[in-house]
Amino acid sequence: MPMSEKLEKILKKIEAGRQFRRNDLHPEFRALDREANGGDMIVEGHATTFDEEYDLYTYDDWDGYRVTVAEKVDRNAFAETDMSDVIFLYDHEGRVMARNRNNTLTIQPDNTGLFIRANLSGSDLGPGLFSDIQNGYVDRMSMQFTVTKDSRTQVRDDENRTLRVIRTIEKVGKLYDVSAVGIPANDGTDISARSAADGVIQALEAERLQRLAKENRAKALKLSIDLSLEREK
């Protein structure tokens, strides 16, 4: 598929509310020994990790603060997630290589994050991907999902003029797929992460404008009172 066509599909999914994240914190995506698994081609790793912050975007705001937008996934985020039919792909597209509905894909939250175990033996393309993972050419996992609840916290350092905003994904609505990813920028995670950061930045800007409007109203009221008092003299 041409890159422009793939990018267009990714953008449409992002516009529809889907998000993509690549696990760069603890990738540890590996192919298991075939002999120890009866000849099956088993790969496993974590699609995301819990309660660990990762940076989405950094910029300088209107007030001269260096703002970093970060994100983390709450360890209970998948407690009510629709995982009735999740597929395992390469780069979020192409042929299905494993599926939880036919028991070739296992998805289970653990102490680290969302653990994934896939048996690629039943797919025609499985041996090629298994070999790429085994030889270290593909070493990351990514997931495609929707968010139904999130929250924001801020850590402000006025002395150093920095602001760190942490978005916490508290509830994942639906998990569509988990994917092995090769070229990092190729799977839409960078575009999706920036989109999430933009949402946080827009909220921060709205809060700034509200604060500014409130300050201006207070100044106008004070000026009005001062003028009234001056006229009374």
Side-chain angles (χ1 to χ4, degrees):
M1 179 187 297
M3 182 60 66
S4 58
E5 184 179 342
K6 179 181 177 182
L7 180 59
E8 185 178 347
K9 285 187 175 183
I10 289 172
L11 290 174
K12 285 182 178 179
K13 289 180 178 179
I14 292 172
E15 289 172 0
R18 298 192 192 186
Q19 299 188 34
F20 299 77
R21 292 294 185 279
R22 184 177 61 249
N23 181 9
D24 290 330
L25 292 175
H26 295 281
E28 299 173 358
F29 184 41
R30 57 196 174 274
L32 304 187
D33 181 74
R34 292 190 65 179
E35 186 175 344
N37 287 280
D40 283 341
M41 292 176 284
I42 308 293
V43 297
E44 62 179 31
H46 288 87
T48 189
T49 54
F50 296 147
D51 299 329
E52 289 190 280
E53 296 176 16
Y54 46 90
D55 292 352
L56 296 178
Y57 188 63
T58 299
Y59 72 102
D60 295 316
D61 74 359
W62 290 89
D63 298 321
Y65 277 74
R66 187 68 171 171
V67 181
T68 298
V69 179
E71 187 178 71
K72 65 179 179 179
V73 179
D74 186 271
R75 65 178 50 255
N76 298 308
F78 291 90
E80 301 174 4
T81 302
D82 178 3
M83 295 191 284
S84 57
D85 187 16
V86 182
I87 56 179
F88 184 92
L89 302 171
Y90 174 69
D91 249 3
H92 298 289
E93 66 172 1
R95 294 274 293 278
V96 176
M97 298 193 184
R99 193 173 208 149
N100 66 340
R101 204 166 62 182
N102 69 356
N103 299 316
T104 56
L105 176 64
T106 300
I107 308 168
Q108 181 65 49
D110 62 16
N111 287 332
T112 300
L114 189 65
F115 176 76
I116 305 297
R117 181 183 175 97
N119 187 343
L120 309 182
S121 305
S123 169
D124 292 342
L125 301 178
L129 180 57
F130 182 84
S131 177
D132 286 344
I133 297 168
Q134 190 175 46
N135 293 317
Y137 295 108
V138 176
D139 64 355
R140 294 288 190 277
M141 292 196 71
S142 177
M143 61 179 183
Q144 181 183 176
F145 61 103
T146 59
V147 176
T148 55
K149 183 181 179 182
D150 63 359
S151 61
R152 282 190 293 122
T153 57
Q154 298 184 15
V155 180
R156 181 183 294 271
D157 183 344
D158 292 325
E159 182 178 351
N160 295 300
R161 300 191 72 77
T162 62
L163 174 64
R164 185 171 182 83
V165 185
I166 302 102
R167 179 205 190 207
T168 300
I169 296 176
E170 297 182 348
K171 288 186 179 181
V172 173
K174 182 173 179 60
L175 182 64
Y176 290 92
D177 74 70
V178 290
S179 286
V181 292
I183 303 173
N186 213 22
D187 62 356
T189 58
D190 298 313
I191 300 170
S192 181
R194 176 58 194 273
S195 177
D198 284 345
V200 174
I201 292 168
Q202 289 169 4
L204 288 174
E205 178 61 12
E207 290 173 3
R208 187 188 74 85
L209 292 175
Q210 286 180 346
R211 185 173 67 251
L212 185 62
K214 185 176 180 181
E215 291 172 356
N216 288 338
R217 285 196 298 270
K219 289 178 181 178
L221 179 60
K222 183 178 182 304
L223 179 60
S224 177
I225 293 173
D226 289 345
L227 290 173
S228 296
L229 291 175
E230 188 66 26
R231 283 195 294 268
E232 290 177 1
K233 287 182 180 180

